Amino acid sequence: MTGAASQAYGEAWYWDERYRKEPGPFDWYQKYPALAPLLRLYVRPHQRLLLVGCGNSVFGENMVQDGYQDVVNIDISSVVIEQMKKKYHDKPQLKYTKMDVRNMSDFESGSFDAVIDKGTLDSIMCGQNSQEHAAKMLGEVNRILNDKGVYIMITYGDPSYRLNLLKDLQFWTVKLHVIADRWERSSKKTWDLTEPLPLQDDSASIINLLGPKPDVHYIYVCIKENDSARVDLKAEVNEQNYS
């Protein structure tokens, strides 16, 4: 993939063109069966969940087959959304809407229990004005999640690239899980997907644990704090600073 192409990842025209040429199903990073044990820890089958940047993945279909009842899918590409609406017209548990994750104003605040992101933030981080667009996306994710809602991000971005971005917003508490890159399953080192890694304020502890350039995907589980708890926490910190 050329640098010019990766910089267009946040543009609708790029994905429209790509999905016209490549209509077959494709799952970024990880497929549902590999992630299912982790998702079951944080998302219940009756809860309303959102898959952002769904593309033509079968991830949502697999979730419905596994008992999830309300799976909303969005993508910036009108081409792929129309393809998926036709494909799943007989599955009411799956809903597809064209939408930019940086502006989800059609969704009411607090209307989802979970948001799942496989590579969408990564694609935004490849483009121009990446920090600004990433902040818009994460702000919208936070807005549409209800209190104690969860944002699950599967990414190549290790903590030195992603942790500060997530924590600086002060929206949520963050847990980190890892899973072997699906193309590197022959690796001798394995990790328990369902056990979070010890996460400190910097990335040093993770680097020491995993070693340099591990063949893993990082899974950040961000649990939204309710507004009153966040206000209380800030007040406590301020009191400590001035006492």
Side-chain angles (χ1 to χ4, degrees):
M1 181 62 64
T2 66
S6 65
Q7 287 185 8
Y9 276 2
E11 305 296 331
W13 63 262
Y14 171 83
W15 294 106
D16 284 344
E17 183 177 327
R18 179 160 176 166
Y19 288 123
R20 286 191 188 100
K21 294 179 178 177
E22 303 173 17
F26 179 79
D27 262 289
W28 291 88
Y29 296 173
Q30 298 284 336
K31 296 184 178 181
Y32 175 73
L35 294 173
L38 178 70
L39 296 180
R40 292 190 193 107
L41 286 180
Y42 296 104
V43 187
R44 301 292 179 261
H46 68 275
Q47 292 181 317
R48 188 178 191 225
L49 62 99
L50 176 67
L51 301 182
V52 297
C54 63
N56 52 22
S57 165
V58 296
F59 201 88
E61 175 187 352
N62 293 160
M63 294 196 80
V64 168
Q65 291 170 342
D66 201 26
Y68 289 90
Q69 301 161 19
D70 191 358
V71 182
V72 180
N73 300 259
I74 66 169
D75 200 280
I76 199 172
S77 169
S78 58
V79 171
V80 80
I81 289 298
E82 289 306 311
Q83 291 173 351
M84 299 301 272
K85 281 182 176 179
K86 291 177 181 177
K87 181 176 181 180
Y88 295 116
H89 70 275
D90 59 343
K91 286 187 168 53
Q93 306 97 320
L94 284 171
K95 304 167 186 69
Y96 288 87
T97 301
K98 179 188 180 298
M99 194 177 296
D100 188 329
V101 72
R102 294 165 291 192
N103 179 8
M104 297 187 284
S105 56
D106 286 350
F107 294 142
E108 293 182 3
S109 298
S111 57
F112 286 92
D113 299 290
V115 175
I116 299 174
D117 167 10
K118 290 198 303 132
T120 299
L121 185 69
D122 283 4
S123 68
I124 287 175
M125 294 298 289
C126 290
Q128 297 179 345
N129 302 317
S130 59
Q131 293 292 327
E132 175 187 350
H133 291 308
K136 286 182 179 179
M137 171 185 167
L138 294 173
E140 279 290 85
V141 168
N142 175 69
R143 181 185 64 80
I144 66 172
L145 282 173
N146 57 29
D147 288 345
K148 301 302 181 183
V150 61
Y151 168 51
I152 301 175
M153 176 176 62
I154 298 94
T155 173
Y156 272 122
D158 71 39
S160 65
Y161 293 100
R162 294 290 182 266
L163 189 57
N164 286 340
L165 178 64
L166 294 170
K167 285 196 169 184
D168 285 351
L169 296 170
Q170 299 183 340
F171 291 153
W172 32 49
T173 57
V174 181
K175 297 182 180 182
L176 176 63
H177 300 253
V178 295
I179 185 171
D181 185 320
R182 75 187 198 194
W183 308 115
E184 302 290 344
R185 291 286 162 79
S186 60
S187 173
K188 294 181 181 179
K189 188 68 176 178
T190 59
W191 308 97
D192 184 346
L193 173 64
T194 60
E195 288 293 326
L197 301 183
L199 193 58
Q200 300 173 0
D201 289 337
D202 58 34
S203 58
S205 60
I206 301 303
I207 293 173
N208 290 336
L209 182 63
L210 300 180
K213 298 182 179 180
D215 293 319
V216 300
H217 287 122
Y218 299 89
I219 306 171
Y220 298 88
V221 178
C222 307
I223 302 170
K224 182 177 177 179
E225 300 172 352
N226 62 54
D227 291 336
S228 59
R230 191 156 57 245
V231 169
D232 291 344
L233 177 61
K234 287 183 178 179
E236 181 180 337
V237 170
N238 289 335
E239 183 178 340
Q240 291 172 353
N241 288 339
Y242 289 103
S243 61

